[in-house]
Amino acid sequence: MDEFKVRTIDLQQMQNQTRHKTDGLSSSTLVLRRGQAFTVTINFDGRPFDPMKEKLIFRIVLGPLYVEAPVSVSRQPSLTQWTAVLEKCIRNPTGHSAFSVSLSSPASASIGAYTLHLRVETRLSVKAYFLGQVTLLCNPWCPADSVFLQSEDLRTEYVKSDIGLLFKGSTGNIVPQSWSFDQYEKGILDICMKLLQVSPQHQADMGKDLLNRSNPVYISRVISAMVNCNDDKGVLMGNWSGDYKDGVNPSKWSGSADILRMWSETQFSPVKYGQCWVFAAVMCTVMRALGIPTRVVTNFNSAHDTDGNMTIEEYYNEKGEKLSMSRDSIWNFHVWVESWMKRPDLGRGYDGWQVLDPTPQEMSAGMFRCGPAAVTAIYERRVDAQYDVPFVYAEVNADVRTMIVRNGRVLSTSVDKRRVGALISTKRPGSMSMQDITSEYKTEEDENTYRGSMAGVTGRSTTFRCEPQSDRIMASKGVEVSLQLLKAPVVGENISFNIIITNNDAAPKLLRKHVNAQNKEYNRNPTETFWEAHDDIKIGPKETVTIKHEISFKHYMLKETEEDSLVNLAVVIEDVKSQERVLASEEFIIRSPSLDIQIQNEVSVIINTPQVATVIFTNPFNVAVSGELTVSGSGLLEEKAQMRHITETHAYDPTPRNHKEARQFHSQDGRCQDAFC
C-alpha cells in the first residue's frame, strides 16, 4: 500500500465558529474561544494514518511562544493544556480519505492571534505544513474560564449584543442615548486585537505581555489605558473645551466602528474627540469582542476627588454664584464600564463585576487608566483593595462640603452625605430600559432617595422630579430654603421654578434673596452667570412663602444648540439681622427637542424587504431652523444603499452595513418629516 501522505488540511471555519459562538465576528482568521475543542480535518492519500509508523504533531505559536500537541488516539481533551486527539477516519469512494483531529486549548490560554502548524514525522522523513491563523478569545461559556458567566441571557446581553443604551443628563432629567457597539462590523475584531499589539506592555516585553494575556485582570488594565491616548498610541483623545473644529464633537458619535476604523486607518493616531461615554462605549466594544462580558454604567453625581480625602469642596459667593476654587468637582454624570471576571488576587468573595474606566482622570501605576475595581470591594468599603478602589469609592460615596465665602472668609458651611452617587444605572438585559444598580455599590444607609423615583426610565421617555431636593438644603435654625423645578426644562421654553422659604422663628424677618443661574459642563464647575435676581423679602413668624421665577429662553439661548445644556441654579437667603445665610442649589439639564421614530408594520418586518419609518422633529422655536439628520443601521449588508422618494418625503433602503446617511432639513412650519424605507 502507498505511504500515508497529507494532501490538504481544513480548519472547518464555519462549523468551528458556530460551535464556539464566534460566528458573525469578522476576522481574517479562524476565531475560537479558549477552553473548548475545535476540529481540524486532514485529507490524505495512500494508506490510513498509523500512529505506530508516523507521528502527527501540532505546533501552536503565539509570537515567540509555542507549544506542541502530539496527536493521540486515546487521550482525553484537557482544560489545562493543549491536546490533540484523533476523532475518526473517513474513506471516500473517490479514493481520497480524511480523518478529524480534535484540538483543545486550555481555559487559561492567552488570548491573541496564533499560527497553527502540523509536523508529520516518519522513520525516513519530516514534513511541515502551515495550517493558518487562529484568533483565540476568552470564553464566558466555559466554566473553567475566569470570565465564565452562568446565565445564557446575560451572556447574550453582555457578550453577543451589539446594541446598547447609555444614560446621560442629570438625576432629575435622564437622557438615554442608543449606541451601536459594532463588534460584528467588518475588521473590528482584528482592530481590537491591534490594541493589545500596540500597547506599551507588548512593545516593552512581548513574551511577558503574551503570557499575561491569560488573565482578564491584566487584559482589562491594558485596554483601559489603550482606549485613551494619554500615555500611548491609544484610540481616543479627550476634549472638554467645547471647541471641536479640528475633530468630531463627542456628541456626534453613535457607534464604535467609525472610531476604531479611523484609529487603525491612520496608523494609530488618536481619534478626535471623546468624552466619558464615548471612552466607555468603545471599551465595551473591545471587551465584548475579546470575549469578556461587559456593560456600560452611568454614575449620576459622580465625584472627582483629586486629593483623595473623600470630600468634595464646593464654594459659593454670597450672591449664589458657584466659584471655581477647588480642583475637586462633581460630574452630573460619569460613564464607565463593568466587566465580569474572577479576582483570585483579592481572595474569596470579590469575583463578578469589576469597574474599569478608560476616561483619563487620574493615573493608576503611572498610566491613565482605572480598575478593575471589584464592585463588591466598593460596597464593602475595602479601600485597601486593588485596583483603584479608593478612587471609585469616592466617585459614588464622597461627602460634599458646601461653603458660602466672602473675601476668603467662610460665612456658612453644610455637609451632604447623600448627593454623590445618587443613581448608578445600566441598560436592563433584554430591554431598552434602565436598570438601577445603586444597591450593588452602596449600602442602604448610603443610598440616595433619588433611587425610587427613577424606576421606569426607558429609551424613549424621561422621568423628572419636581419635589424639593431636600438633600441639597443648607438650613440654619431660623430659615430654611429649597428649590423646586416646576417642569422638565426644554430648549425653547422658559425655565420655571419655585423658591420655598420657611421662617422657623416666632418673629418676623427681613431677608435678602439672591438667585443665580450659570452654564455648566457635565464634568466641571459652572462658568459664567447668564441670569440672576436679587430682592428683599419680609416674612412673618413661622411663615412659609413660595416665590415663582421664570428664566426666559432669550437668557439661556446658546448660539448653537448641539446637545443638551446643563445649568447650575442656586439661591442664597440672608437674614439681614443675624447675618446668617442658607443656600439651596440644583443642577439640571435643558433637554433638546427629541426625534420621534415611527416604524410602519414593526411586528412584520421581513428580511430583504424594504421597511418604512418616519422621523418626526418638532421645532420649538419661533423661527425656522436648519440642521442635519443622520440615519445609521448596524448589522446590515454592505454596499447596497438604495435611494428613492416617497411622496414628499425622502426614503432609503437601510441595507448597507453600518450605513450612515446625513440629510439636511429645513423647517418652516415647525415640523420636519423624513421617512426612510
XYZ file of all heavy atoms in Angstrom, residues 505-592:
723
model
N -38.691 80.863 63.150
C -38.761 81.646 64.385
C -40.153 82.229 64.594
O -40.958 82.348 63.656
C -37.736 82.782 64.352
C -36.315 82.263 64.469
O -36.149 81.078 64.848
O -35.373 83.030 64.168
N -40.407 82.651 65.827
C -41.707 83.236 66.187
C -41.697 84.744 66.008
O -42.557 85.437 66.563
C -42.051 82.872 67.632
N -40.730 85.253 65.254
C -40.647 86.693 64.997
C -40.500 86.913 63.498
O -39.940 86.070 62.790
C -39.451 87.288 65.735
N -41.012 88.029 62.987
C -40.868 88.305 61.555
C -39.398 88.546 61.206
O -38.574 88.869 62.065
C -41.707 89.564 61.353
C -41.742 90.226 62.693
C -41.724 89.117 63.699
N -39.085 88.379 59.910
C -37.704 88.553 59.449
C -37.675 89.359 58.155
O -38.608 89.309 57.348
C -37.039 87.208 59.204
C -36.744 86.377 60.447
C -36.058 85.069 60.072
C -35.770 84.243 61.310
N -34.750 84.863 62.189
N -36.565 90.092 57.996
C -36.252 90.724 56.727
C -35.129 89.909 56.093
O -34.073 89.737 56.690
C -35.814 92.182 56.926
C -35.351 92.911 55.646
C -36.475 93.001 54.618
C -34.806 94.303 55.989
N -35.389 89.403 54.890
C -34.435 88.526 54.208
C -33.992 89.151 52.889
O -34.758 89.887 52.249
C -35.055 87.157 53.928
C -35.674 86.423 55.117
C -36.354 85.143 54.634
C -34.605 86.107 56.163
N -32.781 88.850 52.505
C -32.309 89.204 51.167
C -32.169 87.912 50.357
O -31.557 86.950 50.810
C -30.960 89.928 51.214
C -31.075 91.324 51.781
C -29.911 92.215 51.369
N -30.126 93.554 51.870
C -29.494 94.092 52.907
N -28.593 93.381 53.563
N -29.743 95.324 53.286
N -32.730 87.941 49.177
C -32.738 86.751 48.308
C -31.858 87.006 47.094
O -32.010 88.007 46.401
C -34.167 86.427 47.872
C -34.278 85.291 46.842
C -35.730 84.889 46.615
C -36.549 85.998 46.011
N -36.186 86.275 44.598
N -30.934 86.060 46.863
C -30.048 86.136 45.700
C -30.184 84.833 44.920
O -29.924 83.751 45.446
C -28.593 86.325 46.127
C -28.373 87.477 47.052
N -28.336 88.793 46.624
C -28.187 87.514 48.400
C -28.128 89.589 47.652
N -28.034 88.834 48.752
N -30.581 84.928 43.652
C -30.744 83.748 42.800
C -29.775 83.881 41.629
O -29.646 84.951 41.040
C -32.184 83.617 42.271
C -32.413 82.206 41.725
C -33.201 83.944 43.348
N -29.119 82.765 41.292
C -28.071 82.817 40.272
C -28.136 81.567 39.401
O -28.229 80.453 39.919
C -26.699 82.909 40.956
C -25.591 83.266 39.993
O -25.202 82.445 39.181
N -25.077 84.487 40.099
N -28.093 81.744 38.092
C -28.071 80.621 37.142
C -26.809 80.717 36.305
O -26.502 81.776 35.735
C -29.311 80.630 36.260
N -26.083 79.585 36.220
C -24.815 79.545 35.497
C -24.805 78.386 34.506
O -25.391 77.323 34.764
C -23.642 79.359 36.472
C -23.437 80.493 37.445
C -22.486 80.093 38.559
O -22.909 79.576 39.579
N -21.193 80.334 38.356
N -24.122 78.596 33.383
C -23.878 77.496 32.456
C -22.883 76.520 33.079
O -22.017 76.902 33.855
C -23.316 78.020 31.128
C -24.331 78.814 30.351
O -25.487 78.430 30.279
N -23.908 79.936 29.770
N -23.003 75.254 32.685
C -22.166 74.233 33.301
C -21.843 73.139 32.294
O -22.687 72.753 31.495
C -22.879 73.621 34.517
C -22.029 72.638 35.310
C -22.821 72.043 36.453
C -21.933 71.172 37.333
N -21.329 70.061 36.600
N -20.595 72.645 32.337
C -20.248 71.414 31.640
C -20.496 70.248 32.585
O -20.380 70.393 33.800
C -18.785 71.435 31.207
C -18.430 72.547 30.226
C -19.068 72.360 28.870
O -19.345 71.197 28.510
O -19.295 73.357 28.168
N -20.819 69.070 32.028
C -21.208 67.955 32.885
C -20.098 67.502 33.817
O -20.350 66.903 34.859
C -21.692 66.770 32.036
C -20.592 65.930 31.416
C -20.075 64.820 32.078
C -20.071 66.236 30.167
C -19.081 64.047 31.510
C -19.070 65.476 29.598
C -18.584 64.377 30.277
O -17.593 63.611 29.715
N -18.845 67.819 33.480
C -17.717 67.271 34.235
C -16.932 68.327 35.003
O -15.834 68.053 35.473
C -16.755 66.561 33.278
C -16.069 67.540 32.343
O -16.706 68.437 31.807
N -14.771 67.381 32.138
N -17.470 69.520 35.154
C -16.681 70.558 35.812
C -17.606 71.557 36.494
O -18.827 71.489 36.395
C -15.769 71.265 34.820
C -16.524 72.012 33.737
C -15.585 72.721 32.790
N -14.777 71.768 32.041
C -13.901 72.118 31.122
N -13.706 73.388 30.859
N -13.218 71.205 30.459
N -16.991 72.522 37.190
C -17.754 73.552 37.865
C -18.331 74.543 36.858
O -17.832 74.661 35.734
C -16.872 74.286 38.882
C -16.558 73.407 40.086
O -17.406 72.652 40.554
N -15.333 73.501 40.583
N -19.374 75.300 37.248
C -20.008 76.234 36.310
C -19.070 77.341 35.864
O -18.035 77.611 36.485
C -21.175 76.804 37.118
C -21.407 75.840 38.216
C -20.063 75.263 38.538
N -19.486 77.982 34.780
C -18.719 79.116 34.247
C -19.491 80.403 34.513
O -19.807 80.700 35.661
C -18.444 78.908 32.752
O -19.695 78.638 32.074
C -17.508 77.724 32.523
N -19.833 81.135 33.466
C -20.393 82.460 33.661
C -21.868 82.409 34.083
O -22.596 81.467 33.788
C -20.255 83.293 32.378
C -21.165 82.874 31.236
C -20.610 81.720 30.429
O -19.530 81.190 30.788
O -21.275 81.334 29.446
N -22.281 83.472 34.769
C -23.693 83.651 35.126
C -24.449 84.179 33.916
O -24.003 85.123 33.258
C -23.814 84.645 36.298
O -23.226 84.079 37.455
C -25.272 84.982 36.571
N -25.603 83.574 33.600
C -26.394 84.102 32.480
C -27.713 84.712 32.955
O -28.412 85.345 32.174
C -26.657 83.013 31.432
C -27.506 81.863 31.899
C -28.887 81.954 31.919
C -26.910 80.677 32.308
C -29.661 80.888 32.332
C -27.672 79.599 32.724
C -29.062 79.700 32.744
N -28.050 84.529 34.222
C -29.285 85.130 34.767
C -29.156 85.232 36.274
O -28.575 84.344 36.925
C -30.488 84.255 34.413
C -31.806 84.765 34.943
C -32.661 85.640 34.338
C -32.410 84.419 36.198
N -33.755 85.865 35.133
C -33.636 85.123 36.282
C -32.037 83.596 37.250
C -34.485 85.014 37.387
C -32.876 83.478 38.353
C -34.096 84.180 38.415
N -29.645 86.325 36.847
C -29.655 86.470 38.298
C -30.795 87.382 38.714
O -31.319 88.161 37.915
C -28.317 87.012 38.799
C -27.902 88.334 38.188
C -26.479 88.725 38.603
O -26.132 88.493 39.773
O -25.738 89.260 37.755
N -31.185 87.269 39.972
C -32.247 88.098 40.536
C -31.935 88.341 42.008
O -31.497 87.415 42.719
C -33.604 87.419 40.379
N -32.163 89.569 42.464
C -31.870 89.934 43.856
C -32.996 90.825 44.366
O -33.389 91.781 43.707
C -30.536 90.692 43.954
C -29.401 90.012 43.236
N -28.671 88.998 43.795
C -28.896 90.196 41.988
C -27.753 88.582 42.937
N -27.867 89.299 41.821
N -33.509 90.542 45.553
C -34.536 91.401 46.149
C -34.675 91.087 47.636
O -34.152 90.081 48.130
C -35.880 91.249 45.432
C -36.363 89.825 45.391
O -36.993 89.385 46.372
O -36.085 89.116 44.392
N -35.387 91.955 48.342
C -35.640 91.774 49.767
C -37.020 91.167 49.969
O -37.946 91.388 49.174
C -35.566 93.119 50.504
C -34.146 93.665 50.535
O -33.210 92.880 50.249
O -33.974 94.852 50.824
N -37.149 90.392 51.047
C -38.398 89.701 51.346
C -38.714 89.893 52.824
O -37.830 89.727 53.680
C -38.300 88.196 51.043
C -37.957 87.962 49.578
C -39.585 87.465 51.423
C -37.545 86.547 49.294
N -39.952 90.218 53.121
C -40.420 90.221 54.506
C -41.239 88.955 54.727
O -42.127 88.643 53.930
C -41.263 91.454 54.792
C -40.465 92.757 54.775
C -41.359 93.963 55.090
C -40.541 95.255 55.092
N -41.385 96.443 55.385
N -40.922 88.265 55.806
C -41.600 87.002 56.082
C -42.074 87.008 57.529
O -41.350 87.449 58.442
C -40.672 85.803 55.805
C -41.420 84.477 55.907
C -39.447 85.796 56.688
C -40.616 83.277 55.405
N -43.309 86.546 57.739
C -43.902 86.565 59.060
C -43.436 85.428 59.941
O -42.734 84.502 59.491
N -43.808 85.441 61.226
C -43.428 84.372 62.159
C -43.975 83.024 61.705
O -45.136 82.920 61.284
C -44.067 84.805 63.484
C -44.385 86.260 63.311
C -44.626 86.494 61.863
N -43.115 82.008 61.722
C -43.490 80.633 61.370
C -44.139 80.532 59.985
O -44.905 79.615 59.700
C -44.449 80.047 62.409
C -43.920 80.011 63.826
C -42.804 78.995 63.974
C -42.340 78.856 65.405
N -41.275 77.849 65.572
N -43.801 81.436 59.113
C -44.441 81.506 57.800
C -43.580 80.799 56.750
O -42.356 80.793 56.826
C -44.667 82.957 57.388
C -45.409 83.109 56.050
C -45.578 84.556 55.625
O -45.009 85.452 56.292
O -46.256 84.800 54.605
N -44.247 80.203 55.775
C -43.579 79.653 54.595
C -44.077 80.408 53.375
O -45.294 80.541 53.165
C -43.866 78.160 54.431
O -43.308 77.444 55.527
C -43.247 77.614 53.138
N -43.163 80.917 52.575
C -43.552 81.626 51.353
C -42.970 80.907 50.148
O -41.891 80.311 50.219
C -43.081 83.095 51.366
C -43.743 83.859 52.492
C -41.572 83.188 51.461
N -43.713 80.943 49.062
C -43.270 80.347 47.805
C -43.189 81.441 46.756
O -44.179 82.146 46.508
C -44.228 79.245 47.343
O -44.270 78.213 48.336
C -43.770 78.626 46.021
N -42.036 81.593 46.151
C -41.805 82.648 45.162
C -41.482 81.980 43.830
O -40.554 81.177 43.734
C -40.650 83.560 45.594
C -40.936 84.151 46.978
C -40.415 84.654 44.557
C -39.725 84.786 47.624
N -42.243 82.315 42.798
C -42.033 81.727 41.485
C -41.141 82.617 40.640
O -41.267 83.840 40.640
C -43.366 81.507 40.777
C -43.228 80.832 39.409
C -44.584 80.603 38.744
C -44.397 79.959 37.378
N -45.698 79.735 36.695
N -40.221 81.969 39.923
C -39.355 82.666 38.974
C -39.431 81.978 37.627
O -39.688 80.771 37.538
C -37.898 82.653 39.447
C -37.600 83.640 40.533
N -37.373 84.974 40.290
C -37.494 83.479 41.881
C -37.123 85.584 41.432
N -37.201 84.695 42.413
N -39.174 82.748 36.579
C -39.040 82.186 35.235
C -37.803 82.778 34.576
O -37.575 83.989 34.644
C -40.281 82.470 34.380
C -41.471 81.601 34.721
C -42.493 81.568 33.586
O -42.387 82.415 32.678
O -43.362 80.686 33.611
N -37.028 81.903 33.962
C -35.887 82.340 33.163
C -36.288 82.174 31.703
O -36.578 81.065 31.252
C -34.635 81.509 33.468
C -34.293 81.569 34.957
C -33.453 81.991 32.629
C -33.133 80.671 35.367
N -36.333 83.266 30.977
C -36.820 83.212 29.602
C -35.769 82.590 28.685
O -34.569 82.571 28.981
C -37.174 84.615 29.100
O -36.006 85.415 29.022
N -36.247 82.086 27.568
C -35.370 81.425 26.602
C -34.250 82.354 26.129
O -33.112 81.925 25.937
C -36.202 80.927 25.414
C -35.384 80.409 24.275
C -34.525 79.329 24.441
C -35.459 80.993 23.016
C -33.766 78.851 23.388
C -34.707 80.515 21.961
C -33.856 79.437 22.143
N -34.547 83.627 25.981
C -33.535 84.556 25.454
C -32.341 84.687 26.399
O -31.244 85.045 25.977
C -34.156 85.923 25.184
C -34.543 86.693 26.430
C -35.111 88.055 26.070
C -35.467 88.849 27.324
N -36.018 90.188 26.983
N -32.553 84.376 27.687
C -31.455 84.493 28.636
C -30.476 83.317 28.556
O -29.289 83.477 28.791
C -31.999 84.615 30.066
C -32.499 85.970 30.407
N -33.846 86.279 30.484
C -31.826 87.124 30.662
C -33.984 87.552 30.792
N -32.784 88.093 30.905
N -31.005 82.113 28.275
C -30.095 80.963 28.264
C -29.788 80.451 26.859
O -29.010 79.520 26.693
C -30.651 79.810 29.106
C -31.879 79.124 28.560
C -31.779 78.149 27.559
C -33.147 79.424 29.041
C -32.899 77.510 27.071
C -34.269 78.792 28.558
C -34.150 77.835 27.579
O -35.265 77.200 27.087
N -30.398 81.070 25.838
C -30.215 80.600 24.472
C -28.746 80.625 24.081
O -28.042 81.614 24.275
C -31.014 81.468 23.498
C -30.873 81.056 22.032
S -31.859 82.108 20.943
C -31.054 83.683 21.201
N -28.271 79.493 23.540
C -26.898 79.414 23.047
C -26.882 79.707 21.553
O -27.882 79.545 20.860
C -26.318 78.023 23.327
C -26.343 77.599 24.802
C -25.833 76.173 24.934
C -25.506 78.544 25.644
N -25.722 80.095 21.042
C -25.612 80.390 19.617
C -25.917 79.155 18.786
O -26.520 79.231 17.727
C -24.202 80.910 19.296
C -23.908 82.279 19.886
C -22.520 82.745 19.504
C -22.226 84.118 20.075
N -20.861 84.582 19.738
N -25.472 77.997 19.267
C -25.691 76.753 18.529
C -26.033 75.659 19.534
O -25.223 75.302 20.373
C -24.442 76.363 17.732
C -24.663 75.152 16.836
C -23.429 74.858 16.006
O -22.385 75.478 16.241
O -23.522 73.997 15.119
N -27.241 75.180 19.484
C -27.674 74.151 20.417
C -27.415 72.786 19.790
O -28.222 72.260 19.040
C -29.174 74.307 20.754
O -29.396 75.628 21.242
C -29.597 73.310 21.809
N -26.242 72.210 20.082
C -25.877 70.923 19.501
C -26.204 69.762 20.424
O -26.307 68.636 19.994
C -24.381 70.900 19.179
C -24.000 71.801 18.018
C -22.581 71.580 17.586
O -21.813 70.984 18.366
O -22.232 71.984 16.469
N -26.319 70.029 21.722
C -26.558 68.967 22.680
C -27.264 69.551 23.878
O -27.477 70.751 23.984
C -25.233 68.322 23.090
C -24.222 69.317 23.611
C -22.854 68.696 23.804
O -22.788 67.558 24.272
O -21.857 69.366 23.492
N -27.652 68.685 24.789
C -28.338 69.125 25.982
C -27.432 70.011 26.825
O -26.253 69.732 27.014
C -28.785 67.904 26.790
C -29.691 67.003 25.964
O -30.742 67.485 25.531
O -29.341 65.839 25.761
N -28.002 71.117 27.344
C -27.234 72.087 28.112
C -27.498 71.894 29.599
O -28.612 71.576 30.015
C -27.634 73.506 27.699
O -27.426 73.697 26.311
N -26.460 72.099 30.405
C -26.562 71.950 31.852
C -26.542 73.318 32.515
O -25.855 74.241 32.069
C -25.413 71.098 32.386
C -25.529 69.593 32.120
C -24.180 68.923 32.294
C -26.550 68.974 33.059
N -27.301 73.410 33.612
C -27.419 74.666 34.351
C -27.210 74.384 35.835
O -27.697 73.382 36.364
C -28.814 75.299 34.138
C -29.027 76.494 35.062
C -28.989 75.723 32.684
N -26.464 75.259 36.502
C -26.386 75.247 37.968
C -27.214 76.419 38.479
O -26.922 77.582 38.196
C -24.945 75.370 38.448
C -24.827 75.210 39.946
O -24.732 74.105 40.459
N -24.832 76.326 40.669
N -28.280 76.123 39.223
C -29.185 77.128 39.780
C -29.005 77.135 41.295
O -29.035 76.083 41.935
C -30.627 76.789 39.418
C -31.715 77.757 39.901
C -31.560 79.115 39.209
C -33.094 77.174 39.620
N -28.791 78.316 41.870
C -28.586 78.403 43.318
C -29.311 79.622 43.868
O -29.466 80.639 43.177
C -27.098 78.490 43.641
N -29.751 79.513 45.122
C -30.362 80.629 45.824
C -29.701 80.749 47.191
O -29.495 79.754 47.884
C -31.893 80.461 45.962
C -32.244 79.143 46.642
C -32.504 81.632 46.731
N -29.317 81.965 47.565
C -28.793 82.267 48.899
C -29.788 83.194 49.588
O -30.176 84.228 49.029
C -27.403 82.925 48.827
C -26.971 83.411 50.217
C -26.379 81.946 48.280
N -30.211 82.816 50.798
C -31.098 83.639 51.609
C -30.305 84.162 52.804
O -29.720 83.375 53.558
C -32.323 82.836 52.091
C -33.108 82.294 50.896
C -33.199 83.697 52.990
C -33.694 83.353 49.989
N -30.287 85.477 52.949
C -29.554 86.106 54.037
C -30.520 86.731 55.025
O -31.421 87.498 54.646
C -28.624 87.190 53.479
C -27.881 87.971 54.542
C -27.122 89.147 53.966
O -27.076 89.280 52.710
O -26.599 89.957 54.762
N -30.365 86.382 56.289
C -31.118 87.024 57.368
C -30.412 88.340 57.675
O -29.273 88.347 58.161
C -31.147 86.116 58.600
C -32.025 86.671 59.712
O -32.096 87.911 59.853
O -32.610 85.867 60.472
N -31.065 89.474 57.359
C -30.411 90.780 57.461
C -29.948 91.058 58.884
O -28.857 91.592 59.108
C -31.360 91.892 56.965
C -30.742 93.280 57.201
C -31.674 91.700 55.484
N -30.737 90.646 59.862
C -30.404 90.948 61.260
C -29.277 90.065 61.787
O -28.304 90.555 62.357
C -31.646 90.776 62.124
C -31.411 91.142 63.584
C -32.706 91.029 64.396
C -32.454 91.411 65.864
N -33.711 91.286 66.673
N -29.400 88.758 61.595
C -28.423 87.835 62.185
C -27.219 87.579 61.278
O -26.229 87.011 61.715
C -29.086 86.497 62.506
O -29.440 85.821 61.296
N -27.318 87.990 60.026
C -26.275 87.753 59.028
C -26.108 86.268 58.679
O -25.148 85.901 58.018
C -24.924 88.315 59.497
C -24.907 89.828 59.681
C -25.035 90.565 58.362
O -24.165 90.478 57.503
N -26.142 91.280 58.177
N -27.027 85.424 59.136
C -26.982 84.008 58.750
C -27.375 83.858 57.289
O -28.249 84.571 56.787
C -27.919 83.181 59.626
C -27.405 82.903 61.014
C -28.314 81.927 61.743
O -29.542 82.102 61.703
O -27.782 80.982 62.342
N -26.731 82.906 56.618
C -27.024 82.666 55.212
C -27.279 81.183 54.993
O -26.570 80.340 55.551
C -25.867 83.125 54.316
C -25.668 84.634 54.296
C -24.414 85.019 53.535
N -24.259 86.449 53.431
C -23.730 87.219 54.363
N -23.305 86.675 55.498
N -23.628 88.521 54.174
N -28.259 80.889 54.178
C -28.539 79.499 53.804
C -28.610 79.423 52.286
O -28.940 80.405 51.605
C -29.854 78.974 54.433
C -29.697 78.848 55.929
C -31.028 79.865 54.073
N -28.282 78.241 51.755
C -28.192 78.063 50.301
C -28.930 76.804 49.886
O -28.903 75.784 50.589
C -26.729 77.989 49.874
C -26.409 77.707 48.401
C -25.162 78.477 47.969
C -26.184 76.215 48.150
N -29.563 76.855 48.748
C -30.094 75.658 48.086
C -29.643 75.709 46.639
O -29.588 76.782 46.018
C -31.613 75.605 48.167
N -29.269 74.547 46.086
C -28.787 74.522 44.701
C -29.378 73.325 43.977
O -29.785 72.334 44.602
C -27.258 74.462 44.649
O -26.794 73.236 45.179
N -29.418 73.442 42.676
C -29.916 72.351 41.829
C -29.208 72.433 40.494
O -29.097 73.513 39.893
C -31.425 72.465 41.634
C -32.029 71.425 40.713
C -31.900 70.015 41.273
O -31.975 69.847 42.496
O -31.709 69.092 40.469
N -28.699 71.306 40.029
C -28.133 71.222 38.689
C -29.089 70.416 37.820
O -29.546 69.350 38.224
C -26.749 70.576 38.742
C -25.717 71.473 39.404
C -24.350 70.823 39.520
O -24.246 69.613 39.229
O -23.396 71.526 39.904
N -29.389 70.940 36.648
C -30.355 70.259 35.791
C -29.976 70.445 34.340
O -29.151 71.294 33.985
C -31.773 70.769 36.049
C -31.947 72.260 35.878
C -32.218 72.814 34.634
C -31.844 73.107 36.978
C -32.382 74.181 34.480
C -32.004 74.478 36.836
C -32.276 75.022 35.582
N -30.582 69.653 33.512
C -30.305 69.677 32.087
C -31.472 70.322 31.348
O -32.633 70.175 31.744
C -30.059 68.243 31.566
C -29.396 68.271 30.194
C -31.326 67.421 31.525
C -28.817 66.928 29.798
N -31.153 71.097 30.319
C -32.181 71.637 29.422
C -32.197 70.738 28.200
O -31.272 70.747 27.389
C -31.889 73.090 29.020
C -31.668 73.960 30.263
C -33.035 73.656 28.186
C -31.277 75.390 29.936
N -33.239 69.944 28.096
C -33.292 68.941 27.047
C -33.500 69.561 25.672
O -34.301 70.471 25.494
C -34.455 67.960 27.305
C -34.206 66.988 28.424
C -33.215 65.923 28.011
N -33.663 65.152 26.877
C -34.414 64.054 26.979
N -34.793 63.612 28.168
N -34.775 63.394 25.910
N -32.770 69.031 24.707
C -33.023 69.387 23.315
C -34.280 68.663 22.847
O -34.639 67.614 23.383
C -31.835 68.985 22.441
O -30.671 69.662 22.844
